[in-house]
Each structure stands twice: as C-alpha cells, then as structure tokens.
C-alpha cells in the first residue's frame, strides 16, 4: 500500500493540497485509493484497529498486522513487499508468523470495508 499501512501514518493529518506533491508516485496512487475507498477518516479508523490488534500480539506494528491479515485471506498464497532496509525485512518476516485470532480477523474485516461496501451491505440488510 505504498507505505500508508504503517505506524508512520497513524494519527497524522491528511496530506493537504495536491496529491501529486506527495513524496513519491506510489504514495500518490495509494492516497487516491484511500480517497475512493472511504477517505482519510475511514483510513485512520483502519490504522487504529490494526494498531490495537498489534498490541494484543506483543506490540506488532500496523504493517505486520496488515501483512498477517492479507496472508489469512482465502486464495492468498503470498504478498509482494517493498523492503527498503533491514528493519522492513525483519518486520515483514515477523508478520509471516503472527497468529491472528478469529476476533482479530473480524475486527479488521469490519473496519476495512470501504465506505461504499459498508453502505451497500447496510442497504441490503
């Protein structure tokens, strides 16, 4: 997710102005995806839940929990990671052994639904 699914963005204000002025093209692309999926407030709720789940697992990082969640999805055999340094590499390795509970998975599933998906589900109920 271009680095957005990390502790770095938890609690930060939404990047202001032209998204093209973000640090790199990857951040620009993923910021536009965040906007489409539910906006910055929704994204912050996702990060909060990822952090809370991480605290239940020896203070795992937001990124580690996100990777562990993706690996638990049906049909997913692996993830593509961009590791810039040893810290990222070891964090990604720790994520592969993180055992999320059914409650963890449900909490992340519930908060990570996009605003559009949540609205459609509510309308169908």
């Amino acid at each position: 997710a271009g680095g957005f699914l990390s502790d770095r963005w938890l609690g930060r204000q939404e990047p202001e102005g032209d998204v093209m002025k973000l640090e790199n093209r990857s951040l620009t692309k993923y910021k536009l995806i965040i906007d489409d999926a539910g906006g910055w407030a929704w994204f912050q709720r996702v990060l909060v839940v990822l952090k809370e789940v991480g605290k239940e697992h020896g203070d795992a990082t937001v990124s580690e929990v996100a990777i562990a969640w993706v690996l638990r999805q049906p049909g997913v055999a692996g993830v593509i990671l961009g590791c810039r340094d040893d810290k990222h590499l070891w964090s990604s390795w720790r994520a592969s052994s993180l055992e999320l509970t059914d409650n963890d998975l449900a909490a992340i599933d519930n908060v990570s639904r996009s605003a559009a998906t949540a609205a459609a589900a509510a309308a169908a109920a």
Side-chain angles (χ1 to χ4, degrees):
F4 272 113
L5 285 173
S6 67
D7 292 83
R8 172 184 175 197
W9 292 98
L10 179 62
R12 287 198 41 193
Q13 293 293 319
E14 181 173 8
E16 295 287 329
D18 185 0
V19 295
M20 298 304 288
K21 292 183 180 178
L22 286 168
E23 187 177 323
N24 58 53
R25 288 181 183 184
S26 182
L27 288 177
T28 298
K29 173 178 69 176
Y30 287 109
K31 173 59 172 74
L32 292 171
I33 292 171
I34 289 167
D35 292 344
D36 288 345
W40 196 255
W42 164 80
F43 174 65
Q44 286 297 311
R45 289 191 300 274
V46 171
L47 293 180
V48 165
V49 169
L50 292 171
K51 188 64 175 178
E52 288 171 354
V53 168
K55 287 179 183 177
E56 298 294 321
H57 295 275
D59 209 25
T61 67
V62 165
S63 298
E64 290 167 3
V65 174
I67 292 166
W69 178 82
V70 169
L71 288 170
R72 292 285 305 268
Q73 300 309 297
V76 173
V79 294
I80 299 172
L81 305 168
C83 299
R84 286 187 274 168
D85 56 34
D86 290 357
K87 181 181 169 188
H88 290 134
L89 179 63
W90 289 112
S91 178
S92 299
W93 178 77
R94 283 191 306 271
S96 69
S97 62
L98 187 60
E99 294 290 334
L100 299 178
T101 67
D102 289 341
N103 287 339
D104 296 335
L105 295 168
I108 297 166
D109 288 343
N110 288 335
V111 74
S112 64
R113 286 190 184 125
S114 71
T117 302

